[in-house]
Amino acid sequence: MVGGGQLARMTHQAAISLGQTLRVLAVSEDDPAAQVTPDVVIGAHTDLDALRDAAAGADALTFDHEHVPTELLEKLVADGVNVAPPPSALIHAQDKLMMRRRLEALGVSVPRFAEVTDVADVDAFAARVDTDIVVKTVRGGYDGRGVTIARDVAEARDVAGRYLADGAAVLVEEKVSMRRELAALVARSPFGQGAAWPVVQTVQRDGICVEVIAPAPRLDAELSSGAGQLALRLADELGVVGVLAVELFETVDGRLVVNELAMRPHNSGHWSMDGAKTSQFEQHLRAVLDYPLGDTAPIAPVTVMANVLGAQESPAMSMDERLHHLFGRMPEARVHLYGKGERPGRKIGHVNVLGTAGGSLEDDAYVADVRERAVRAAHWLSHAEWTDGWSGHD
Protein backbone atom coordinates (compact mmCIF):
# COMPACT_ATOMS: atom_id res chain seq x y z
CA MET A 1 0.00 0.00 0.00
CA VAL A 2 1.40 3.36 -1.05
CA GLY A 3 1.07 5.75 1.89
CA GLY A 4 1.61 5.10 5.57
CA GLY A 5 -1.34 7.00 7.05
CA GLN A 6 -4.28 5.83 9.11
CA LEU A 7 -6.00 4.19 6.15
CA ALA A 8 -2.98 1.94 5.64
CA ARG A 9 -2.84 1.28 9.39
CA MET A 10 -6.46 0.10 9.45
CA THR A 11 -6.00 -1.88 6.22
CA HIS A 12 -3.10 -3.66 7.93
CA GLN A 13 -5.47 -4.71 10.71
CA ALA A 14 -7.78 -6.25 8.12
CA ALA A 15 -4.86 -7.93 6.33
CA ILE A 16 -3.88 -9.78 9.51
CA SER A 17 -7.26 -11.52 9.77
CA LEU A 18 -7.03 -12.52 6.09
CA GLY A 19 -3.59 -14.04 6.59
CA GLN A 20 -1.97 -11.40 4.39
CA THR A 21 1.13 -9.27 4.84
CA LEU A 22 0.73 -5.61 3.96
CA ARG A 23 3.92 -3.86 2.91
CA VAL A 24 3.70 -0.09 3.33
CA LEU A 25 5.53 2.67 1.48
CA ALA A 26 5.80 5.29 4.22
CA VAL A 27 7.50 8.67 4.43
CA SER A 28 8.92 7.93 7.89
CA GLU A 29 9.01 5.26 10.57
CA ASP A 30 6.64 7.43 12.63
CA ASP A 31 3.81 7.18 10.07
CA PRO A 32 0.70 5.51 11.54
CA ALA A 33 1.00 2.34 9.45
CA ALA A 34 4.79 2.13 9.79
CA GLN A 35 4.32 1.89 13.56
CA VAL A 36 2.41 -1.37 13.30
CA THR A 37 3.27 -3.25 10.10
CA PRO A 38 6.50 -5.31 9.97
CA ASP A 39 7.19 -4.69 6.28
CA VAL A 40 7.95 -1.01 5.64
CA VAL A 41 9.72 0.73 2.76
CA ILE A 42 10.74 4.30 3.57
CA GLY A 43 10.44 6.61 0.59
CA ALA A 44 8.33 9.13 -1.28
CA HIS A 45 5.34 8.33 -3.48
CA THR A 46 6.95 10.54 -6.14
CA ASP A 47 10.11 8.38 -6.28
CA LEU A 48 9.90 5.64 -8.92
CA ASP A 49 12.66 3.58 -7.27
CA ALA A 50 10.81 3.66 -3.93
CA LEU A 51 7.58 2.60 -5.65
CA ARG A 52 9.39 -0.26 -7.37
CA ASP A 53 10.93 -1.35 -4.06
CA ALA A 54 7.49 -1.38 -2.45
CA ALA A 55 5.95 -3.33 -5.36
CA ALA A 56 8.73 -5.93 -5.65
CA GLY A 57 7.26 -9.40 -5.19
CA ALA A 58 3.83 -8.11 -4.15
CA ASP A 59 0.62 -9.60 -5.51
CA ALA A 60 -0.93 -6.14 -5.82
CA LEU A 61 -0.09 -2.48 -5.26
CA THR A 62 -2.83 -0.26 -3.85
CA PHE A 63 -3.15 3.13 -2.14
CA ASP A 64 -4.13 5.02 0.98
CA HIS A 65 -4.07 8.28 -1.01
CA GLU A 66 -4.40 9.30 -4.66
CA HIS A 67 -1.31 11.46 -5.06
CA VAL A 68 1.06 9.13 -6.94
CA PRO A 69 1.86 10.71 -10.33
CA THR A 70 0.04 8.90 -13.13
CA GLU A 71 3.17 8.58 -15.26
CA LEU A 72 4.91 6.65 -12.47
CA LEU A 73 1.99 4.27 -12.09
CA GLU A 74 2.00 3.62 -15.82
CA LYS A 75 5.68 2.68 -15.58
CA LEU A 76 4.83 0.22 -12.81
CA VAL A 77 2.10 -1.29 -14.99
CA ALA A 78 4.65 -1.60 -17.81
CA ASP A 79 6.90 -3.44 -15.32
CA GLY A 80 4.12 -5.96 -14.80
CA VAL A 81 2.91 -4.68 -11.43
CA ASN A 82 -0.75 -5.31 -10.60
CA VAL A 83 -1.80 -1.74 -9.74
CA ALA A 84 -5.25 -1.64 -8.14
CA PRO A 85 -7.07 0.52 -8.95
CA PRO A 86 -5.28 0.95 -12.29
CA PRO A 87 -4.02 4.42 -13.26
CA SER A 88 -6.71 4.66 -15.96
CA ALA A 89 -9.30 4.61 -13.16
CA LEU A 90 -7.35 6.43 -10.46
CA ILE A 91 -6.85 9.49 -12.65
CA HIS A 92 -10.52 10.34 -12.08
CA ALA A 93 -9.89 10.67 -8.36
CA GLN A 94 -6.65 12.59 -8.92
CA ASP A 95 -7.80 15.14 -11.48
CA LYS A 96 -11.06 16.92 -10.63
CA LEU A 97 -11.40 18.47 -14.07
CA MET A 98 -11.00 15.13 -15.84
CA MET A 99 -13.47 13.61 -13.36
CA ARG A 100 -16.06 16.32 -14.00
CA ARG A 101 -15.74 15.96 -17.76
CA ARG A 102 -15.96 12.16 -17.69
CA LEU A 103 -18.98 12.13 -15.41
CA GLU A 104 -20.70 14.76 -17.53
CA ALA A 105 -20.07 12.61 -20.60
CA LEU A 106 -21.65 9.67 -18.78
CA GLY A 107 -24.77 11.73 -18.12
CA VAL A 108 -24.11 11.99 -14.38
CA SER A 109 -25.28 15.12 -12.59
CA VAL A 110 -22.35 17.29 -11.45
CA PRO A 111 -22.10 20.97 -10.48
CA ARG A 112 -21.70 23.34 -13.40
CA PHE A 113 -17.99 23.95 -13.80
CA ALA A 114 -15.31 25.54 -15.96
CA GLU A 115 -11.57 25.31 -16.37
CA VAL A 116 -9.66 28.45 -15.38
CA THR A 117 -6.49 29.34 -17.27
CA ASP A 118 -6.84 33.08 -16.70
CA VAL A 119 -8.74 35.07 -14.06
CA ALA A 120 -10.99 36.38 -16.84
CA ASP A 121 -12.44 32.85 -17.02
CA VAL A 122 -13.85 33.41 -13.52
CA ASP A 123 -15.84 36.43 -14.70
CA ALA A 124 -17.21 34.51 -17.69
CA PHE A 125 -18.29 31.63 -15.46
CA ALA A 126 -19.87 33.95 -12.88
CA ALA A 127 -21.96 35.61 -15.59
CA ARG A 128 -23.16 32.20 -16.76
CA VAL A 129 -24.18 30.59 -13.46
CA ASP A 130 -25.35 33.49 -11.26
CA THR A 131 -24.53 31.58 -8.04
CA ASP A 132 -21.84 31.59 -5.39
CA ILE A 133 -18.60 30.16 -6.77
CA VAL A 134 -16.28 27.45 -5.47
CA VAL A 135 -12.64 27.67 -6.57
CA LYS A 136 -10.63 24.43 -6.56
CA THR A 137 -7.19 23.24 -7.47
CA VAL A 138 -7.57 20.47 -10.03
CA ARG A 139 -5.14 18.20 -8.20
CA GLY A 140 -3.97 17.59 -4.67
CA GLY A 141 -6.66 19.12 -2.47
CA TYR A 142 -8.37 17.24 0.36
CA ASP A 143 -9.94 17.93 3.78
CA GLY A 144 -10.73 21.48 2.67
CA ARG A 145 -7.27 22.21 1.25
CA GLY A 146 -7.27 23.60 -2.27
CA VAL A 147 -10.97 24.46 -2.00
CA THR A 148 -12.34 27.97 -1.41
CA ILE A 149 -15.99 28.98 -1.29
CA ALA A 150 -15.73 32.55 -2.48
CA ARG A 151 -17.76 35.32 -0.84
CA ASP A 152 -18.08 37.11 -4.16
CA VAL A 153 -16.64 37.21 -7.68
CA ALA A 154 -13.76 39.45 -6.60
CA GLU A 155 -12.61 36.89 -4.05
CA ALA A 156 -13.02 34.09 -6.59
CA ARG A 157 -10.77 36.02 -8.99
CA ASP A 158 -8.22 36.63 -6.26
CA VAL A 159 -8.10 32.99 -5.13
CA ALA A 160 -7.92 31.67 -8.68
CA GLY A 161 -5.12 34.11 -9.43
CA ARG A 162 -3.13 32.95 -6.40
CA TYR A 163 -3.60 29.28 -7.30
CA LEU A 164 -2.52 29.97 -10.88
CA ALA A 165 0.51 31.96 -9.73
CA ASP A 166 1.55 28.96 -7.63
CA GLY A 167 1.49 26.82 -10.76
CA ALA A 168 -1.70 24.93 -9.94
CA ALA A 169 -4.36 24.00 -12.47
CA VAL A 170 -7.69 25.53 -11.44
CA LEU A 171 -11.39 25.04 -11.97
CA VAL A 172 -14.45 26.87 -10.73
CA GLU A 173 -17.87 25.43 -10.08
CA GLU A 174 -21.24 26.51 -8.80
CA LYS A 175 -22.02 26.22 -5.10
CA VAL A 176 -24.83 23.68 -5.04
CA SER A 177 -27.91 24.54 -2.99
CA MET A 178 -28.06 21.39 -0.91
CA ARG A 179 -30.02 19.83 1.91
CA ARG A 180 -27.11 17.71 3.14
CA GLU A 181 -24.06 15.73 2.03
CA LEU A 182 -24.20 11.99 1.41
CA ALA A 183 -21.70 9.31 0.46
CA ALA A 184 -22.21 6.08 -1.44
CA LEU A 185 -19.45 3.55 -0.76
CA VAL A 186 -19.01 0.51 -2.98
CA ALA A 187 -16.34 -2.00 -3.89
CA ARG A 188 -15.56 -3.71 -7.18
CA SER A 189 -13.31 -6.68 -7.91
CA PRO A 190 -11.32 -7.35 -11.11
CA PHE A 191 -13.84 -10.11 -11.84
CA GLY A 192 -16.50 -7.38 -11.93
CA GLN A 193 -18.36 -8.25 -8.74
CA GLY A 194 -19.73 -5.21 -6.95
CA ALA A 195 -21.02 -4.62 -3.43
CA ALA A 196 -22.54 -1.51 -1.86
CA TRP A 197 -22.91 -0.38 1.74
CA PRO A 198 -25.93 1.67 2.79
CA VAL A 199 -25.76 5.32 1.73
CA VAL A 200 -24.59 7.50 4.63
CA GLN A 201 -24.95 11.13 5.67
CA THR A 202 -21.70 13.02 6.22
CA VAL A 203 -21.35 16.17 8.31
CA GLN A 204 -18.57 18.57 7.31
CA ARG A 205 -16.99 21.41 9.27
CA ASP A 206 -14.34 23.67 7.72
CA GLY A 207 -14.01 21.19 4.87
CA ILE A 208 -13.32 18.25 7.20
CA CYS A 209 -15.67 15.34 7.83
CA VAL A 210 -16.58 15.38 11.52
CA GLU A 211 -19.45 12.89 11.63
CA VAL A 212 -21.02 10.08 9.59
CA ILE A 213 -24.52 8.67 10.17
CA ALA A 214 -25.04 5.22 8.69
CA PRO A 215 -27.46 4.67 7.08
CA ALA A 216 -28.52 8.23 6.23
CA PRO A 217 -31.69 9.02 8.22
CA ARG A 218 -34.94 9.75 6.41
CA LEU A 219 -33.41 9.27 2.98
CA ASP A 220 -36.01 8.66 0.30
CA ALA A 221 -35.84 4.99 -0.73
CA GLU A 222 -35.63 5.89 -4.42
CA LEU A 223 -32.76 8.32 -3.81
CA SER A 224 -30.95 5.76 -1.65
CA SER A 225 -31.26 3.07 -4.30
CA GLY A 226 -30.27 5.53 -7.01
CA ALA A 227 -27.13 6.59 -5.15
CA GLY A 228 -26.00 3.01 -4.65
CA GLN A 229 -26.69 2.08 -8.26
CA LEU A 230 -24.88 5.20 -9.46
CA ALA A 231 -21.78 4.34 -7.43
CA LEU A 232 -21.76 0.75 -8.71
CA ARG A 233 -22.19 2.00 -12.27
CA LEU A 234 -19.30 4.45 -11.91
CA ALA A 235 -17.06 1.76 -10.44
CA ASP A 236 -17.78 -0.37 -13.49
CA GLU A 237 -17.55 2.43 -16.09
CA LEU A 238 -14.24 3.69 -14.69
CA GLY A 239 -12.74 0.24 -14.14
CA VAL A 240 -12.24 0.66 -10.40
CA VAL A 241 -10.63 -2.16 -8.42
CA GLY A 242 -11.13 -1.78 -4.68
CA VAL A 243 -13.27 0.65 -2.73
CA LEU A 244 -14.88 3.65 -4.43
CA ALA A 245 -16.42 6.47 -2.41
CA VAL A 246 -18.83 8.75 -4.26
CA GLU A 247 -19.43 11.95 -2.30
CA LEU A 248 -22.83 13.44 -3.12
CA PHE A 249 -24.96 16.51 -2.54
CA GLU A 250 -28.64 15.95 -1.86
CA THR A 251 -30.09 19.13 -3.32
CA VAL A 252 -32.96 21.10 -1.85
CA ASP A 253 -35.12 19.98 -4.76
CA GLY A 254 -34.41 16.29 -4.13
CA ARG A 255 -31.71 15.47 -6.68
CA LEU A 256 -28.28 13.84 -6.29
CA VAL A 257 -25.20 15.68 -7.55
CA VAL A 258 -21.74 14.10 -7.50
CA ASN A 259 -19.14 16.16 -5.65
CA GLU A 260 -15.97 14.04 -5.36
CA LEU A 261 -14.62 10.54 -5.97
CA ALA A 262 -12.10 8.60 -3.88
CA MET A 263 -10.67 5.22 -4.90
CA ARG A 264 -9.49 3.87 -1.56
CA PRO A 265 -10.93 3.32 1.90
CA HIS A 266 -12.62 6.56 2.89
CA ASN A 267 -13.59 8.50 6.00
CA SER A 268 -17.26 7.98 5.15
CA GLY A 269 -16.74 4.23 5.54
CA HIS A 270 -15.03 4.12 8.95
CA TRP A 271 -18.39 3.27 10.55
CA SER A 272 -18.22 -0.10 8.80
CA MET A 273 -15.40 -1.29 11.07
CA ASP A 274 -17.97 -1.89 13.82
CA GLY A 275 -21.33 -1.30 12.16
CA ALA A 276 -21.27 -3.56 9.06
CA LYS A 277 -20.74 -7.27 8.50
CA THR A 278 -17.70 -6.49 6.34
CA SER A 279 -15.55 -3.42 6.94
CA GLN A 280 -14.39 -1.24 4.07
CA PHE A 281 -10.78 -2.21 4.84
CA GLU A 282 -11.37 -5.94 4.55
CA GLN A 283 -13.51 -5.37 1.48
CA HIS A 284 -10.80 -3.30 -0.18
CA LEU A 285 -8.35 -6.17 0.28
CA ARG A 286 -10.88 -8.72 -0.91
CA ALA A 287 -11.42 -6.67 -4.06
CA VAL A 288 -7.74 -6.02 -4.72
CA LEU A 289 -6.95 -9.74 -4.29
CA ASP A 290 -10.03 -10.72 -6.35
CA TYR A 291 -11.66 -12.65 -3.52
CA PRO A 292 -15.46 -12.86 -3.45
CA LEU A 293 -16.73 -9.71 -1.76
CA GLY A 294 -18.20 -9.68 1.73
CA ASP A 295 -21.66 -8.90 3.08
CA THR A 296 -22.13 -5.14 3.48
CA ALA A 297 -25.32 -5.25 5.57
CA PRO A 298 -25.39 -3.07 8.71
CA ILE A 299 -25.51 -4.84 12.07
CA ALA A 300 -27.38 -2.08 13.93
CA PRO A 301 -30.27 0.22 12.97
CA VAL A 302 -27.81 3.13 12.97
CA THR A 303 -24.08 3.57 13.53
CA VAL A 304 -22.55 6.99 14.08
CA MET A 305 -18.89 7.72 13.53
CA ALA A 306 -17.35 10.87 15.01
CA ASN A 307 -13.83 11.92 14.13
CA VAL A 308 -11.42 12.73 16.95
CA LEU A 309 -9.84 16.02 15.86
CA GLY A 310 -6.92 17.62 17.65
CA ALA A 311 -7.96 20.45 20.00
CA GLN A 312 -6.62 23.99 19.72
CA GLU A 313 -4.66 23.26 22.89
CA SER A 314 -3.72 19.67 23.65
CA PRO A 315 -5.07 18.58 27.05
CA ALA A 316 -2.67 18.05 29.93
CA MET A 317 -4.35 14.68 30.50
CA SER A 318 -2.66 11.88 28.54
CA MET A 319 -4.60 10.02 25.85
CA ASP A 320 -4.24 6.85 27.91
CA GLU A 321 -6.00 8.49 30.85
CA ARG A 322 -8.66 9.95 28.55
CA LEU A 323 -9.35 6.44 27.26
CA HIS A 324 -9.61 5.20 30.84
CA HIS A 325 -12.26 7.82 31.67
CA LEU A 326 -14.14 7.28 28.39
CA PHE A 327 -14.44 3.55 28.85
CA GLY A 328 -15.46 4.04 32.46
CA ARG A 329 -18.40 6.19 31.41
CA MET A 330 -19.16 4.86 27.90
CA PRO A 331 -18.14 1.20 27.61
CA GLU A 332 -20.10 0.93 24.37
CA ALA A 333 -17.81 3.36 22.52
CA ARG A 334 -15.61 1.71 19.90
CA VAL A 335 -12.36 3.68 19.65
CA HIS A 336 -9.85 3.66 16.79
CA LEU A 337 -6.73 5.78 17.33
CA TYR A 338 -4.17 6.40 14.62
CA GLY A 339 -0.89 6.81 16.50
CA LYS A 340 -0.62 10.47 15.48
CA GLY A 341 0.63 13.42 17.44
CA GLU A 342 -2.04 15.93 18.44
CA ARG A 343 -2.34 19.27 16.66
CA PRO A 344 -5.32 21.53 15.98
CA GLY A 345 -7.84 20.02 13.57
CA ARG A 346 -5.77 16.94 12.81
CA LYS A 347 -7.61 13.61 12.49
CA ILE A 348 -6.10 11.52 15.27
CA GLY A 349 -8.80 8.86 15.52
CA HIS A 350 -12.48 8.14 15.39
CA VAL A 351 -15.21 6.70 17.59
CA ASN A 352 -18.07 4.46 16.49
CA VAL A 353 -21.27 4.15 18.51
CA LEU A 354 -23.98 1.66 17.51
CA GLY A 355 -27.65 2.21 18.17
CA THR A 356 -29.43 -0.42 20.23
CA ALA A 357 -31.46 -3.10 18.50
CA GLY A 358 -35.08 -2.23 17.85
CA GLY A 359 -34.46 1.42 17.03
CA SER A 360 -35.50 3.09 13.82
CA LEU A 361 -33.94 5.59 11.43
CA GLU A 362 -37.37 7.21 11.32
CA ASP A 363 -37.16 7.94 15.07
CA ASP A 364 -35.41 11.30 15.25
CA ALA A 365 -34.87 11.07 19.02
CA TYR A 366 -33.24 7.64 18.67
CA VAL A 367 -30.84 8.85 15.97
CA ALA A 368 -30.10 12.07 17.87
CA ASP A 369 -29.18 10.07 20.98
CA VAL A 370 -26.66 7.91 19.11
CA ARG A 371 -25.20 11.00 17.44
CA GLU A 372 -24.87 12.81 20.75
CA ARG A 373 -23.05 9.88 22.35
CA ALA A 374 -20.60 9.52 19.47
CA VAL A 375 -19.84 13.25 19.37
CA ARG A 376 -19.53 13.37 23.16
CA ALA A 377 -17.02 10.50 23.15
CA ALA A 378 -14.93 12.01 20.33
CA HIS A 379 -14.91 15.45 21.95
CA TRP A 380 -13.78 13.95 25.25
CA LEU A 381 -10.87 12.20 23.56
CA SER A 382 -9.74 15.37 21.81
CA HIS A 383 -10.43 17.93 24.57
CA ALA A 384 -10.60 15.98 27.87
CA GLU A 385 -13.90 17.70 28.60
CA TRP A 386 -17.45 16.39 28.50
CA THR A 387 -19.86 18.26 26.24
CA ASP A 388 -22.65 17.76 28.79
CA GLY A 389 -20.59 19.09 31.72
CA TRP A 390 -20.45 15.69 33.46
CA SER A 391 -17.68 15.09 35.98
CA GLY A 392 -16.57 11.70 37.26
CA HIS A 393 -15.46 13.32 40.51
CA ASP A 394 -18.83 14.82 41.47
Side-chain angles (χ1 to χ4, degrees):
M1 182 165 262
V2 178
Q6 65 261 27
L7 301 180
R9 182 184 178 106
M10 290 181 278
T11 304
H12 170 67
Q13 294 174 253
I16 292 171
S17 65
L18 295 179
Q20 301 295 328
T21 299
L22 184 73
R23 179 182 298 146
V24 171
L25 176 61
V27 175
S28 80
E29 294 177 354
D30 294 328
D31 281 1
Q35 297 171 22
V36 297
T37 187
D39 194 352
V40 181
V41 174
I42 301 299
H45 64 270
T46 53
D47 182 340
L48 180 59
D49 290 335
L51 290 166
R52 282 175 166 154
D53 287 345
D59 291 292
L61 182 80
T62 190
F63 311 93
D64 97 333
H65 63 72
E66 292 103 345
H67 305 314
V68 183
T70 308
E71 60 271 18
L72 298 187
L73 294 179
E74 289 171 345
K75 289 179 180 178
L76 293 179
V77 171
D79 290 345
V81 176
N82 174 20
V83 177
S88 57
L90 190 65
I91 187 66
H92 299 94
Q94 296 174 318
D95 187 308
K96 295 181 178 66
L97 189 59
M98 181 175 289
M99 179 265 288
R100 286 278 183 263
R101 287 170 171 161
R102 180 67 184 278
L103 295 190
E104 191 174 55
L106 291 171
V108 175
S109 181
V110 297
R112 289 176 292 175
F113 68 95
E115 182 179 11
V116 175
T117 57
D118 183 275
V119 291
D121 296 330
V122 177
D123 294 321
F125 181 74
R128 177 161 64 91
V129 299
D130 192 29
T131 67
D132 290 341
I133 295 173
V134 182
V135 186
K136 294 183 176 182
T137 55
V138 170
R139 284 177 172 258
Y142 68 100
D143 281 351
R145 300 177 182 90
V147 177
T148 300
I149 301 175
R151 292 185 298 268
D152 51 36
V153 177
E155 185 183 20
R157 284 173 55 93
D158 179 63
V159 172
R162 285 190 278 110
Y163 285 157
L164 290 169
D166 289 338
V170 179
L171 78 155
V172 287
E173 58 188 41
E174 65 176 327
K175 183 183 178 185
V176 175
S177 180
M178 65 174 176
R179 179 180 170 223
R180 57 179 169 176
E181 294 190 56
L182 304 171
L185 196 74
V186 300
R188 180 181 178 274
S189 71
F191 180 72
Q193 184 187 11
W197 286 269
V199 176
V200 303
Q201 178 179 340
T202 65
V203 180
Q204 315 287 325
R205 186 170 64 233
D206 298 327
I208 299 175
C209 178
V210 295
E211 189 181 348
V212 173
I213 309 155
R218 296 189 176 276
L219 179 61
D220 176 80
E222 187 174 336
L223 272 187
S224 178
S225 176
Q229 291 300 318
L230 171 63
L232 288 168
R233 176 192 164 206
L234 290 179
D236 191 58
E237 292 274 9
L238 301 179
V240 174
V241 174
V243 165
L244 168 68
V246 181
E247 297 181 61
L248 299 155
F249 298 132
E250 181 185 359
T251 67
V252 293
D253 57 355
R255 296 179 299 111
L256 293 177
V257 175
V258 174
N259 180 30
E260 301 280 1
L261 301 179
M263 296 181 193
R264 52 172 169 76
H266 190 256
N267 204 164
S268 66
H270 289 352
W271 71 274
S272 66
M273 297 178 75
D274 302 297
K277 292 183 177 179
T278 306
S279 79
Q280 65 165 340
F281 299 101
E282 178 180 331
Q283 196 81 301
H284 185 72
L285 289 175
R286 287 194 188 208
V288 165
L289 297 171
D290 209 8
Y291 290 164
L293 300 181
D295 188 345
T296 54
I299 60 177
V302 66
T303 299
V304 177
M305 183 228 69
N307 274 323
V308 180
L309 304 176
Q312 287 300 312
E313 293 187 14
S314 297
M317 184 186 295
S318 71
M319 181 60 77
D320 182 68
E321 189 174 357
R322 280 175 258 168
L323 277 171
H324 184 99
H325 284 279
L326 175 65
F327 290 148
R329 187 183 183 197
M330 300 179 66
E332 76 277 15
R334 305 298 299 271
V335 176
H336 302 272
L337 296 176
Y338 305 154
K340 288 179 166 183
E342 298 180 58
R343 65 170 183 250
R346 189 185 200 190
K347 293 178 185 176
I348 58 175
H350 70 270
V351 178
N352 287 331
V353 173
L354 278 63
T356 55
S360 169
L361 281 174
E362 303 303 310
D363 183 341
D364 293 341
Y366 170 78
V367 174
D369 173 69
V370 183
R371 292 184 66 178
E372 187 278 328
R373 287 188 286 132
V375 170
R376 186 197 330 154
H379 187 86
W380 167 259
L381 287 177
S382 61
H383 291 76
E385 61 185 24
W386 295 108
T387 53
D388 60 357
W390 184 84
S391 171
H393 300 292
D394 288 346

